[in-house]
Amino acid sequence: MARDLHRSRYARYAGGPDPLAPPVDLAEALDAIGEDVMAGYSPERAMREFLRRGGRNRQGLDDLAAKVAQRRRDLLRRNRLDGTMEEVRELLDRAVLAERKQLARELEDDARFDEMRIENLPSSTAAAVNELSDYRWHSSDAREDYERIKDLLGRELLDQHFKGMKQALENATDEDRERVNDMLRDLNDLLAAHARGEDTDEQFRDFMDKHGEFFPENPQSVDELLDSLAQRAAAAQRMRNSMTQEQRDELDQLATQAFGSPALMESLAQLDANLRALRPGEDWTGGERFDGEQGVGLGDGTGILQDLADLDDLAEQLSQQYNGARLDDVDLDKLARQLGDEAAVDARTLAELERALSETGYLRRGSDGQLRLSPKAMRQLGKALLRDAATRLSGRQGQRDLRQAGAAGELWGATREWQFGDTEPWDVTRTVTNAVQRVAADGGDPSHGVRLDIRDVEVSETEARTQAAVALLVDTSFSMAMDGRWVPMKRTALALHQLISSRFRGDHLQLIGFGRHAQVMDIEQLTALDAMWDKGTNLHHALLLANRHFRRHPSAQPVLLIVTDGEPTSHLEPDGEVMFSYPPHPLTIAYSIRELDNAGRMGAQTTFFRLGEDPGLARFVESMARRVGGRVIAPELDDLGAAVVGSYLGSRGSSSSSGSAYGDWFGGRGYWVGD
């Protein structure tokens, strides 16, 4: 029995974005951009820097640009432009050798005369070929080799203008050559009519119906045909410009022998003139220096010059240095052709990432036209930093995620899936609803009853009952920026801000930066703050602002967190002026101690986070902490965020198990003072 055999054909997907491509990793991009913003970059520059660097498993623009530059160097170092001349020389030498052998066997006077003519051929290849244009060959092999020279020249000259013609016309007949001449005449007539401004649509369709086989790229209009022809003709001219004057002279002499017909050169010269007039914007004057060992023919050399032009375009597109630059400008077809499909996939992913950062609202353009991190982006960054702090905490104490914070507090409406060890109350409504939906999805009938599964259980999240007024004082002095503590400081502030705004919404957080003077900042302002190079550490002013914050919330538990890497070197005078002195002036120390004592009298739970190994700072911080029964923690920079978050949680007493045990973790590097 005969069976129908169904054949399937597979090709590259071309219906839009690849449906199987992995989604862009916005989290990785946002983390990197946020890190650069906190280091002082503008969001726009930070995004561009990330696109330049790429991701963990993705090439960036710099990687792609480097490969483009390397391929360009390889093309110039590997090739030279005299391949056609070499091939002609080989055919000529073979023809002359065969002819000499034949003449040696003949005894007639004509043979002696021709032998003298062969022996006295010019040393120039082109001149020798022209000299033999009317020679009557005695050897049939020699005659065939000489005819191959004319055929080769014709095919190479055509291949310069029409890619693939060299192969298509191999072993061509006189009829094939006449069809080419016919196409050139019609093409020049079409371009001349187009140059005169005539309506050439119908003429173009007739031309393609008749000669379409010569144009595999299948242009759809006269302009598309013009663009394709002009780009290749300009590349051919640049190849000619790249040759030495001697090579150009030889090529001009040889061209007259192409197919043994001067008419071909006349048609090609007319075509070049038409293309130059219609597309003057193409690069007709450039050139390159080739110094490789591999000779290439006229057609292949023209293709290499086109490749070089493509690579130059890609280099500009990947540089993104021009006005209005966008990654959508990168020609993915050119990139795939020059560097392979993987490079095109990476470039497309970067472009999608650039669009996604704007479309998802992570980056917004302000009224001044500059990109800024949106509140949504700030929340995402805070979540990532808070997770990092939680990981560092749990990794050292076996404690659980900071979602446990406030477990003993009041319900605030949110629920989450139950996890082993949870002690929060069940949300019965959500739990039963999940069970009903699961039974129905499995094809059961919930009206006959449902059996709970552990996967159905959801627990209610809680907030801590005790409110806190939290003041995070961060040193923004010269030394913080100089010693690489600027970004960790910002990351710490953002992590704490995220924790309080998402898990302890009843608490009141105030961020205070203190350098030569102090100021209250919102999280966006602090995150975008450039490194401050003014000398001065005004802890006195920062404590004044913190105490004002505590007084505004008299029913809340005051929590004072101070991150610094230096002793106080400035203070506010009664008239509001800043006094700076290094070494620290006794009055500066006295003013700072007075405000710290005021915080202590309000019951503030105080923690100093000492950065650096300065002995003088260590002694000062220890004595300050002892005065108010506070503590000192000396974390590594990478642990600063976890230290501050853990200290905050610990200050809330029973509201969080993770914070209460945190002080023990520091061992020799941190210690309790006063208790």
Side-chain angles (χ1 to χ4, degrees):
M1 177 188 292
R3 294 188 304 166
D4 291 334
L5 297 178
H6 299 282
R7 293 185 177 180
S8 298
R9 293 192 303 170
Y10 298 89
R12 184 187 303 278
Y13 178 76
D18 186 354
L20 300 180
V24 294
D25 188 353
L26 284 178
E28 180 191 8
L30 191 59
D31 286 347
I33 291 171
E35 191 82 5
D36 284 346
V37 168
M38 287 187 280
Y41 287 16
S42 69
E44 181 120 25
R45 182 184 174 191
M47 181 181 72
R48 294 296 167 197
E49 287 298 318
F50 175 76
L51 296 175
R52 304 212 71 81
R53 294 192 303 265
R56 287 186 295 268
N57 301 310
R58 184 185 308 111
Q59 297 179 94
L61 294 177
D62 284 346
D63 298 318
L64 296 173
K67 289 187 175 181
V68 164
Q70 184 60 50
R71 172 157 169 74
R72 195 183 199 285
R73 289 192 295 269
D74 289 344
L75 287 174
L76 293 174
R77 292 172 180 172
R78 186 170 59 243
N79 301 295
R80 65 176 193 274
L81 301 181
D82 57 355
T84 297
M85 301 296 297
E86 279 189 347
E87 200 169 349
V88 169
R89 184 80 233 180
E90 290 174 1
L91 287 171
L92 178 63
D93 289 345
R94 199 165 66 189
V96 168
L97 180 61
E99 183 69 4
R100 283 173 175 165
K101 290 180 179 179
Q102 180 62 36
L103 290 172
R105 290 192 290 268
E106 296 182 5
L107 302 177
E108 294 83 359
D109 291 341
D110 288 346
R112 302 287 74 75
F113 177 79
D114 288 340
E115 193 172 42
M116 291 176 58
R117 187 175 177 183
I118 290 292
E119 292 297 331
N120 289 288
L121 285 174
S123 59
S124 163
T125 300
V129 170
N130 287 331
E131 174 72 22
L132 295 171
S133 61
D134 60 350
Y135 180 76
R136 183 180 61 85
W137 296 91
H138 295 253
S139 165
S140 59
D141 291 340
R143 184 186 307 108
E144 289 178 5
D145 285 333
Y146 185 78
E147 291 299 322
R148 288 193 185 98
I149 291 175
K150 295 191 289 184
D151 181 71
L152 170 67
L153 291 170
R155 290 187 293 122
E156 286 280 17
L157 288 170
L158 285 170
D159 202 40
Q160 275 196 302
H161 293 78
F162 308 95
K163 184 178 180 180
M165 194 71 81
K166 179 180 179 180
Q167 290 76 24
L169 289 180
E170 192 170 8
N171 300 319
T173 63
D174 291 339
E175 182 181 355
D176 294 329
R177 298 190 187 97
E178 183 54 38
R179 286 175 49 245
V180 171
N181 287 327
D182 187 32
M183 180 272 290
L184 287 172
R185 285 191 294 270
D186 291 346
L187 177 58
N188 281 318
D189 290 343
L190 172 63
L191 298 185
H194 188 73
R196 293 192 297 269
E198 299 176 9
D199 185 355
T200 55
D201 290 346
E202 184 175 353
Q203 188 176 356
F204 169 75
R205 288 192 292 271
D206 292 341
F207 175 83
M208 291 302 297
D209 288 341
K210 183 177 180 182
H211 304 297
E213 63 186 293
F214 294 106
F215 304 93
E217 61 273 17
N218 192 27
Q220 299 300 304
S221 65
V222 177
D223 284 326
E224 286 188 16
L225 176 64
L226 264 171
D227 289 340
S228 175
L229 291 174
Q231 288 169 8
R232 190 157 181 90
Q237 181 60 49
R238 292 196 300 275
M239 178 182 178
R240 177 181 172 84
N241 299 342
S242 303
M243 295 178 172
T244 64
Q245 186 60 50
E246 181 182 358
Q247 288 173 329
R248 287 195 290 270
D249 292 343
E250 291 252 311
L251 182 61
D252 290 342
Q253 292 184 58
L254 285 172
T256 60
Q257 298 300 322
F259 287 149
S261 169
L264 174 64
M265 283 305 300
E266 292 175 6
S267 295
L268 291 177
Q270 184 182 352
L271 176 60
D272 282 340
N274 286 328
L275 293 174
R276 279 176 177 263
L278 290 166
R279 289 294 184 270
E282 293 291 337
D283 182 7
W284 300 93
T285 59
E288 300 288 349
R289 180 176 178 178
F290 291 80
D291 52 8
E293 297 181 356
Q294 178 178 321
V296 293
L298 299 179
D300 290 340
T302 298
I304 290 174
L305 267 296
Q306 279 191 295
D307 285 342
L308 292 173
D310 285 352
L311 292 168
D312 289 341
D313 288 344
L314 288 171
E316 182 179 12
Q317 294 162 11
L318 293 170
S319 74
Q320 297 283 287
Q321 296 299 311
Y322 49 91
N323 290 334
R326 297 176 64 238
L327 283 181
D328 286 335
D329 300 340
V330 178
D331 190 324
L332 298 181
D333 290 335
K334 280 185 182 179
L335 195 61
R337 193 163 57 244
Q338 298 298 334
L339 299 185
D341 292 338
E342 183 179 348
V345 169
D346 285 338
R348 182 172 61 245
T349 303
L350 290 173
E352 291 171 357
L353 185 61
E354 182 185 45
R355 286 194 299 272
L357 284 168
S358 299
E359 292 173 359
T360 56
Y362 286 134
L363 295 176
R364 290 181 179 174
R365 202 167 291 280
S367 57
D368 58 356
Q370 297 298 313
L371 282 180
R372 289 185 171 84
L373 291 177
S374 68
K376 179 180 180 181
M378 298 297 294
R379 288 193 299 272
Q380 288 298 112
L381 283 172
K383 288 178 182 178
L385 295 173
L386 189 55
R387 282 194 300 270
D388 179 66
T391 300
R392 292 177 181 275
L393 281 169
S394 61
R396 293 168 173 84
Q397 282 294 331
Q399 295 160 11
R400 303 186 52 242
D401 192 297
L402 290 180
R403 288 179 301 180
Q404 289 283 14
E410 301 199 8
L411 302 177
W412 59 283
T415 65
R416 58 179 171 79
E417 183 180 346
W418 177 88
Q419 296 182 10
F420 179 77
D422 280 335
T423 59
E424 292 86 353
W426 286 17
D427 185 306
V428 177
T429 302
R430 289 294 306 164
T431 299
V432 174
T433 300
N434 291 340
V436 171
Q437 291 175 341
R438 177 179 51 78
V439 170
D442 292 341
D445 185 356
S447 64
H448 295 159
V450 295
R451 182 182 297 274
L452 291 181
D453 186 278
I454 193 63
R455 295 169 296 173
D456 304 325
V457 178
E458 290 197 21
V459 296
S460 300
E461 291 196 328
T462 60
E463 283 189 314
R465 294 189 182 97
T466 303
Q467 287 188 333
V470 185
L472 175 62
L473 282 54
V474 290
D475 192 340
T476 58
S477 63
F478 170 80
S479 58
M480 288 286 287
M482 182 177 64
D483 294 333
R485 297 161 185 152
W486 196 255
V487 172
M489 173 270 291
K490 292 184 177 183
R491 291 168 61 90
T492 298
L494 189 52
L496 182 62
H497 177 272
Q498 175 63 26
L499 175 60
I500 293 177
S501 62
S502 61
R503 298 296 172 184
F504 294 92
R505 299 179 184 179
D507 287 0
H508 309 282
L509 171 65
Q510 186 165 87
L511 302 174
I512 301 171
F514 62 99
R516 195 175 188 88
H517 67 279
Q519 61 177 321
V520 175
M521 301 180 179
D522 58 32
I523 189 61
E524 290 81 6
Q525 184 183 2
L526 178 60
T527 302
L529 184 67
D530 286 336
M532 301 174 68
W533 301 101
D534 287 338
K535 295 182 179 180
T537 305
N538 200 332
L539 180 60
H540 168 237
H541 192 186
L543 289 169
L544 279 171
L545 296 175
N547 288 336
R548 185 177 66 181
H549 175 60
F550 297 150
R551 293 188 188 99
R552 287 175 176 171
H553 305 283
S555 62
Q557 166 64 51
V559 177
L560 180 60
L561 308 172
I562 304 171
V563 178
T564 185
D565 70 346
E567 298 174 75
T569 55
S570 62
H571 67 269
L572 284 185
E573 293 283 8
D575 60 1
E577 292 297 319
V578 173
M579 174 185 171
F580 169 78
S581 174
Y582 184 83
H585 193 280
L587 195 57
T588 300
I589 301 297
Y591 279 7
S592 300
I593 291 175
R594 184 182 68 188
E595 287 307 315
L596 183 65
D597 288 344
N598 288 338
R601 281 191 288 271
M602 284 186 280
Q605 297 184 18
T606 303
T607 306
F608 285 88
F609 300 90
R610 176 173 58 80
L611 304 180
E613 302 297 331
D614 179 38
L617 174 64
R619 289 191 298 270
F620 170 77
V621 168
E622 179 181 346
S623 63
M624 292 281 278
R626 185 176 293 111
R627 290 184 67 89
V628 292
R631 56 177 173 166
V632 177
I633 297 173
E636 298 293 337
L637 278 181
D638 288 344
D639 288 321
L640 179 60
V644 172
V645 168
S647 179
Y648 162 72
L649 293 174
S651 70
R652 310 192 97 266
S654 61
S655 65
S656 172
S657 61
S658 57
S660 61
Y662 188 75
D664 298 335
W665 166 69
F666 283 96
R669 290 186 298 164
Y671 43 89
W672 293 91
V673 179
D675 289 353

